[in-house]
Amino acid sequence: MMEGNPKKSKSELFFAGHLEEKDDLKQFKRDAPVEMNDENLNNLSQIVDALERKIEMEKSRALFLITSSKLRSIQTAELIAQKLKLKLGDSFKIRFSIDTKLDAPDQGDFTLPEDYNPGDFFEGLKTASKVFLNESLGEKGNLHYKFGDPVLLGDGGYKYPELSKYFIQTGESYGEALSRVLRSVISASEKFDKFKGSIEVSVIAHGFTFHILRGLSFLAKQIKDDNFSIKQGELAIKLWEIYQQNPLSLKTTPFSNIDFSELGNPYLIKTLKDEVNFLNKK
């Protein structure tokens, strides 16, 4: 798989991470607008240049930008479109679509310290993120643990008492968020021919979404090459293992090409549908 460097392939999905948002949890919670600093401007330039090369290489006549519902993703897509129009001309067609299924896991509602100021480090989100990962993908693998849940014990205490003082409402579980992304992929597989047409398709979303989509591309290749099979309930752990074996973060590269040549593989789609059914039963 070629990543961070466009090549001529209609079966590759161009994925760009959203630009970093303003760090003000008090005003915006976790849905802040984009911060136009030097790092974001540099990343935007890299994304636009790479996408322009891919469009010209593949002689695409239009661009379809799919974003999550978060403001930072939508604004990033708008900025990309503005820059591309300057390079490719106003006659180049760009369409937008918002897919809530591509959102990162919802992190619930939390209480900030009274002395919080924009840009301050917030221990609550850091602790909750660490617990979320350990509970969801750790040794016992509880995919239905909800973000920020202190977990009430039988004796009235909490498994994670530090979270009880931060969170007013828990967020999503890993399983809920994974199910959303899988349903988006299943829907996309039904329109697989568009990846081979004259329209360039690009997704602007989050690290979580990227991790799932990239992992599925590796999994699809294993299914094709090794007649690979996977049991219901094991997909999340398998995707996590793929990430650990082939790490790539949107913090180190602002974009990547994801090989979706096997997106229409019937066994892959059946596997995803079975997993969605499993996750939705709990």
Side-chain angles (χ1 to χ4, degrees):
M1 179 186 304
M2 195 169 186
E3 295 172 315
N5 183 23
K7 70 176 182 178
K8 190 172 183 177
S9 171
K10 284 292 185 181
S11 296
E12 285 192 339
L13 174 71
F14 187 94
F15 190 107
H18 62 76
L19 301 177
E20 289 302 308
E21 69 271 31
K22 291 182 179 179
D23 189 1
D24 188 346
L25 295 172
K26 188 172 185 178
Q27 182 176 356
F28 302 110
K29 293 292 186 178
R30 291 293 287 121
D31 196 17
V34 164
E35 178 87 70
M36 292 314 297
N37 53 35
D38 289 344
E39 181 180 359
N40 273 345
L41 289 172
N42 179 56
N43 286 340
L44 176 62
S45 178
Q46 290 185 57
I47 292 168
V48 170
D49 287 348
L51 192 49
E52 179 193 16
R53 291 195 300 270
K54 193 168 191 291
I55 288 168
E56 291 181 339
M57 228 181 277
E58 297 176 356
K59 303 187 185 327
S60 300
R61 297 200 299 269
L63 173 64
F64 189 33
L65 288 171
I66 306 171
T67 77
S68 79
S69 68
K70 297 303 181 182
L71 183 58
R72 54 195 182 274
S73 292
I74 295 171
Q75 288 188 337
T76 299
E78 291 172 345
L79 289 166
I80 290 170
Q82 290 171 14
K83 296 286 187 180
L84 277 175
K85 284 283 189 179
L86 292 175
K87 289 173 170 285
L88 301 176
D90 288 335
S91 61
F92 184 76
K93 296 180 180 179
I94 301 177
R95 292 179 55 204
F96 299 86
S97 178
I98 297 173
D99 185 353
T100 59
K101 295 189 294 297
L102 298 178
D103 289 0
D106 180 79
Q107 296 183 333
D109 194 10
F110 44 82
T111 300
L112 294 167
E114 291 184 4
D115 60 351
Y116 172 85
N117 290 306
D120 284 355
F121 171 77
F122 177 43
E123 180 63 39
L125 282 178
K126 179 183 178 182
T127 300
S129 297
K130 182 178 179 180
V131 170
F132 183 68
L133 188 63
N134 289 339
E135 281 282 339
S136 304
L137 302 174
E139 187 175 347
K140 295 184 178 179
N142 177 15
L143 294 176
H144 305 290
Y145 170 82
K146 291 184 179 293
F147 191 98
D149 186 359
V151 185
L152 183 64
L153 300 175
D155 61 3
Y158 291 105
K159 183 177 180 180
Y160 303 108
E162 64 274 27
L163 295 182
S164 65
K165 66 181 180 181
Y166 292 127
F167 284 83
I168 304 168
Q169 182 177 332
T170 58
E172 275 186 303
S173 70
Y174 196 99
E176 288 170 329
L178 175 60
S179 176
R180 282 194 285 100
V181 178
L182 296 184
R183 284 186 279 116
S184 184
V185 173
I186 292 167
S187 177
S189 72
E190 297 167 357
K191 307 165 188 173
F192 184 60
D193 288 344
K194 284 190 176 182
F195 283 93
K196 300 178 181 178
S198 61
I199 299 175
E200 183 68 40
V201 179
S202 176
V203 170
I204 316 296
H206 312 270
F208 173 83
T209 321
F210 175 64
H211 155 64
I212 300 301
L213 296 182
R214 181 171 177 262
L216 288 177
S217 74
F218 278 88
L219 184 63
K221 189 175 186 304
Q222 290 179 16
I223 289 172
K224 178 185 177 184
D225 295 346
D226 305 322
N227 194 26
F228 181 82
S229 63
I230 188 169
K231 296 178 182 178
Q232 281 188 350
E234 294 182 349
L235 183 59
I237 298 299
K238 182 60 181 176
L239 292 175
W240 181 239
E241 289 174 353
I242 289 173
Y243 170 75
Q244 291 177 310
Q245 294 164 6
N246 306 274
L248 182 67
S249 169
L250 292 176
K251 293 185 181 298
T252 58
T253 178
F255 69 91
S256 178
N257 290 298
I258 301 176
D259 182 4
F260 262 8
S261 58
E262 294 301 316
L263 179 62
N265 184 307
Y267 185 82
L268 172 66
I269 299 306
K270 181 181 183 303
T271 299
L272 301 189
K273 288 180 177 179
D274 289 345
E275 190 71 10
V276 168
N277 289 334
F278 172 83
L279 293 170
N280 291 348
K281 284 179 183 177
K282 300 292 184 179

